[in-house]
């Protein structure tokens, strides 16, 4: 009765005091009072004034993310498979964990002050994901993929930029290389468990950063670490291809790479084996480097003037893709060309107008461990899956299926909800109206307008 007279707020305080200072003599009256106070606290809604109750309800009410439709495809390394049925990709300021079997999602969350996600990397053992966040104080979160809890936060005061433009793990998962952006273009090498960089060097000190043909200042477009030697780092970009080695606490330039690198705009590169690197240009040329030494241009490279933006190694060779949705599959050869092209595919999408599909640029690839499914992200904000485990020398053309759902390809400018059904309608600058079912997370209607 004493607690009831006190009221809910005072009862809560009283209960907290009893919990903090329990009766040393184990007086049963104290125990009874504690029980009463707990009961009053838990059922305090019966004692509150209606106005206070409404305020309390608003306090307790929170919004939790359940599903996201879309992708932020301009993020470095935006696609990764956690397992055969779980794909991660950024949406807004979150990284989605999408289960392709159940269509359910979870999220890796970023900090509240993050402006945007700029790069994502997954450790080779799939245990950790690195998420680069831009802003006044750019940082990289290292998150446990199993618990989704943050393990480390990496940042430096002298990055010389508001963002990291690239991040990659070493093969053993212990080291990390990160590339800062304009204007300083500082490359940092980390043992991420220590949360401090081991070394730092600027890769843009030799006369300023050239611009790509898109007009953007893309001094660095790709970084990587030698799979066999975690102290050996590769950096490529517009007019730049350079090896670095971590020696005596410093990142020192190392010999190797293609001749006259300053005359090429390198769009990406990839270690296709432990010794071999394939480097791509904005003219769709492919350069072959082995053990640090330039060997040749691949004779079967597209060289069609449509830039190659992504390379993914496979057990038999590699797959590359880029502008106008062109995808090329290469396999190892026994002749002097080392790799030969066995298939060329052009992306086709029935869910988007043809004029938008033609502008599609392949931004990123991700291949499942069993090489059953190749996922790809496009500049038109789509994620497609391609059945990869078959003979490419055959003439049939594989089909592209949307992973998750076919998303809008341009900003959404209108939205409305249905009162009686779990439906949301959206209109977009991609000339489509779509009706989404927010209960089973599917798109039910897509209508194109001229």
């Amino acid at each position: 009765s004493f607690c009831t007279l006190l009221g809910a707020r005072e009862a809560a305080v009283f209960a907290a005091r009893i919990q903090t200072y329990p009766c040393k003599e184990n007086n049963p009256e104290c125990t009874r009072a504690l029980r009463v106070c707990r009961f009053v606290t838990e059922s305090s809604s019966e004692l509150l004034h209606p106005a206070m109750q409404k305020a309390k309800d608003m306090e307790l009410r929170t919004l939790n993310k359940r599903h996201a439709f879309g992708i932020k495809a301009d993020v470095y390394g935006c696609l990764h498979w956690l397992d055969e049925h779980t794909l991660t990709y950024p949406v807004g300021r979150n990284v989605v964990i999408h289960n392709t079997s159940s269509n359910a999602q979870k999220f890796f969350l970023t900090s509240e002050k993050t402006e945007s996600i700029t790069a994502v990397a997954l450790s080779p053992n799939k245990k950790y994901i690195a998420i680069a966040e831009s802003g006044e104080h750019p940082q990289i979160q290292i998150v446990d993929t199993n618990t989704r809890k943050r393990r480390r936060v990496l940042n430096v005061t002298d990055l010389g930029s508001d963002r990291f433009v690239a991040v990659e793990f070493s093969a053993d998962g212990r080291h990390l290389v990160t590339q800062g952006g304009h204007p300083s273009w500082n490359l940092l090498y980390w043992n991420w468990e220590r949360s401090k960089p081991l070394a730092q060097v600027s890769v843009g000190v030799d006369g300023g950063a050239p611009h790509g043909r898109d007009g953007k200042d893309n001094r660095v477009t790709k970084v990587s670490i030698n799979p066999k030697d975690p102290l050996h780092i590769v950096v490529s970009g517009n007019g730049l291809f350079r090896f670095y080695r971590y020696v005596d606490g410093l990142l020192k330039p190392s010999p190797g790479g293609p001749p006259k690198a300053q005359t090429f705009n390198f769009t990406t590169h990839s270690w296709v084996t432990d010794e071999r690197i394939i480097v791509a240009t904005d003219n769709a040329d492919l350069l072959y480097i082995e053990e640090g030494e330039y060997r040749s241009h691949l004779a079967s490279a597209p060289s069609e003037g449509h830039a190659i933006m992504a390379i993914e190694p496979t057990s038999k060779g590699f797959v590359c893709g880029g502008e106008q949705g062109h995808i090329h599959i290469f396999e190892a050869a026994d002749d002097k060309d080392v790799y030969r092209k066995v298939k060329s595919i052009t992306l086709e999408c029935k869910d988007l107008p043809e004029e938008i599909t033609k502008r599609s640029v392949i931004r990123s690839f991700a291949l499942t461990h069993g090489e059953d499914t190749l996922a790809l992200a496009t500049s038109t904000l789509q994620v497609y899956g391609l059945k990869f485990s078959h003979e490419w020398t055959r003439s049939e053309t594989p089909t592209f299926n949307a992973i998750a759902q076919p998303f809008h390809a341009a900003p959404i400018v209108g939205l409305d909800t249905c009162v009686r059904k779990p439906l949301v309608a959206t209109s977009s600058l991609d000339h489509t109206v779509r009706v989404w079912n927010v209960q089973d997370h599917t798109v039910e209607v897509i209508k194109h307008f001229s």
Side-chain angles (χ1 to χ4, degrees):
S1 60
F2 174 68
C3 291
T4 306
L5 288 172
L6 281 176
R9 189 178 297 277
E10 289 78 9
V13 175
F14 186 64
R17 287 179 178 175
I18 294 177
Q19 287 175 335
T20 308
Y21 305 102
C23 179
K24 295 180 181 179
E25 299 176 3
N26 293 321
N27 188 332
E29 292 299 323
C30 290
T31 306
R32 189 176 303 151
L34 175 58
R35 287 174 180 166
V36 172
C37 288
R38 282 179 176 167
F39 171 77
V40 172
T41 304
E42 291 168 2
S43 56
S44 59
S45 59
E46 299 175 4
L47 303 173
L48 290 178
H49 186 277
M52 295 178 65
Q53 178 61 37
K54 185 177 181 181
K56 183 182 177 185
D57 289 344
M58 293 297 291
E59 248 179 51
L60 297 176
R61 214 171 282 169
T62 57
L63 291 173
N64 295 316
K65 299 179 183 70
R66 189 172 68 178
H67 203 89
F69 299 101
I71 181 174
K72 193 176 188 301
D74 60 350
V75 172
Y76 177 98
C78 65
L79 286 182
H80 298 280
W81 290 100
L82 289 181
D83 56 44
E84 298 296 304
H85 302 286
T86 307
L87 185 68
T88 67
Y89 52 89
V91 181
R93 295 190 299 173
N94 311 277
V95 175
V96 167
I97 311 165
H98 182 87
N99 188 298
T100 58
S101 298
S102 64
N103 203 28
Q105 291 183 350
K106 296 179 181 178
F107 297 87
F108 296 120
L109 305 180
T110 58
S111 57
E112 293 183 358
K113 295 183 179 180
T114 298
E115 290 184 2
S116 65
I117 295 174
T118 56
V120 178
L122 183 67
S123 63
N125 59 12
K126 315 288 186 182
K127 288 185 177 180
Y128 304 104
I129 190 168
I131 305 172
E133 307 170 10
S134 67
E136 185 179 354
H137 303 289
Q139 64 181 23
I140 293 176
Q141 286 194 57
I142 308 295
V143 183
D144 188 304
T145 57
N146 186 33
T147 64
R148 289 184 288 144
K149 291 184 178 179
R150 183 187 303 172
R151 285 291 304 272
R152 291 288 187 275
V153 177
L154 312 180
N155 52 52
V156 290
T157 57
D158 57 345
L159 180 63
S161 178
D162 66 345
R163 66 192 59 224
F164 293 93
V165 298
V167 56
E168 292 286 351
F169 280 96
S170 61
D172 58 12
R174 296 174 54 194
H175 295 88
L176 197 74
V177 60
T178 62
Q179 177 64 59
H182 177 81
S184 296
W185 299 102
N186 283 320
L187 179 72
L188 296 97
Y189 182 64
W190 309 73
N191 182 327
W192 63 264
E193 286 281 4
R194 300 181 185 177
S195 299
K196 291 184 178 180
L198 300 174
Q200 175 176 326
V201 66
S202 174
V203 301
V205 297
D206 52 351
H211 292 68
R213 64 183 184 184
D214 57 2
K216 294 182 179 180
D217 187 355
N218 295 328
R219 175 65 175 177
V220 177
T221 55
K222 177 74 175 181
V223 298
S224 65
I225 300 178
N226 189 323
K228 291 200 307 182
D229 184 358
L231 306 181
H232 196 210
I233 299 166
V234 183
V235 181
S236 65
N238 291 339
L240 171 72
F241 189 96
R242 196 174 298 163
F243 288 102
Y244 286 93
R245 179 168 289 279
Y246 177 66
V247 181
D248 300 328
L250 298 173
L251 282 174
K252 297 182 178 180
S254 181
K260 299 181 179 180
Q262 68 276 9
T263 62
F264 294 95
N265 284 336
F266 298 110
T267 51
T268 188
H269 71 261
S270 178
W271 292 85
V272 294
T273 69
D274 289 348
E275 298 87 16
R276 296 177 175 181
I277 305 173
I278 297 296
V279 190
T281 73
D282 60 358
N283 190 48
D285 296 321
L286 294 171
L287 284 65
Y288 164 55
I289 295 173
E290 186 170 6
E291 295 182 346
E293 297 295 327
Y294 167 77
R295 302 297 186 187
S296 65
H297 281 52
L298 295 187
S300 57
S303 302
E304 57 196 0
H306 303 307
I308 292 174
M309 306 301 295
I311 302 175
E312 180 74 9
T314 69
S315 59
K316 295 182 178 181
F318 64 92
V319 55
C320 63
E323 292 179 343
Q324 295 194 0
H326 294 324
I327 300 171
H328 309 282
I329 299 163
F330 287 78
E331 293 183 355
D334 296 330
D335 55 20
K336 61 180 182 180
D337 197 27
V338 186
Y339 292 99
R340 59 187 175 87
K341 184 168 62 178
V342 296
K343 190 76 172 180
S344 290
I345 313 167
T346 301
L347 177 65
E348 296 180 359
C349 175
K350 62 182 180 180
D351 300 311
L352 289 174
E354 186 178 352
E355 63 272 15
I356 293 180
T357 303
K358 287 181 178 179
R359 299 199 304 267
S360 293
V361 178
I362 310 296
R363 293 286 191 189
S364 184
F365 287 117
L367 187 62
T368 56
H369 181 73
E371 299 194 354
D372 295 321
T373 305
L374 177 70
L376 57 99
T378 72
S379 61
T380 51
L381 313 181
Q382 307 299 310
V383 183
Y384 295 110
L386 180 68
K387 186 178 179 181
F388 200 77
S389 55
H390 59 77
E391 293 293 329
W392 291 110
T393 52
R394 297 178 182 176
S395 58
E396 72 266 14
T397 301
T399 57
F400 296 87
N401 298 310
I403 293 180
Q405 297 297 313
F407 305 134
H408 279 299
I412 295 171
V413 294
L415 182 146
D416 199 7
T417 59
C418 181
V419 175
R420 297 186 179 183
K421 295 182 179 181
L423 301 176
V424 172
T426 55
S427 60
S428 168
L429 295 180
D430 64 5
H431 302 167
T432 67
V433 171
R434 302 176 189 232
V435 178
W436 310 83
N437 188 314
V438 296
Q439 192 168 30
D440 59 16
H441 312 136
T442 59
V443 57
E444 295 194 352
V445 178
I446 302 176
K447 177 64 177 177
H448 300 266
F449 293 89
S450 59

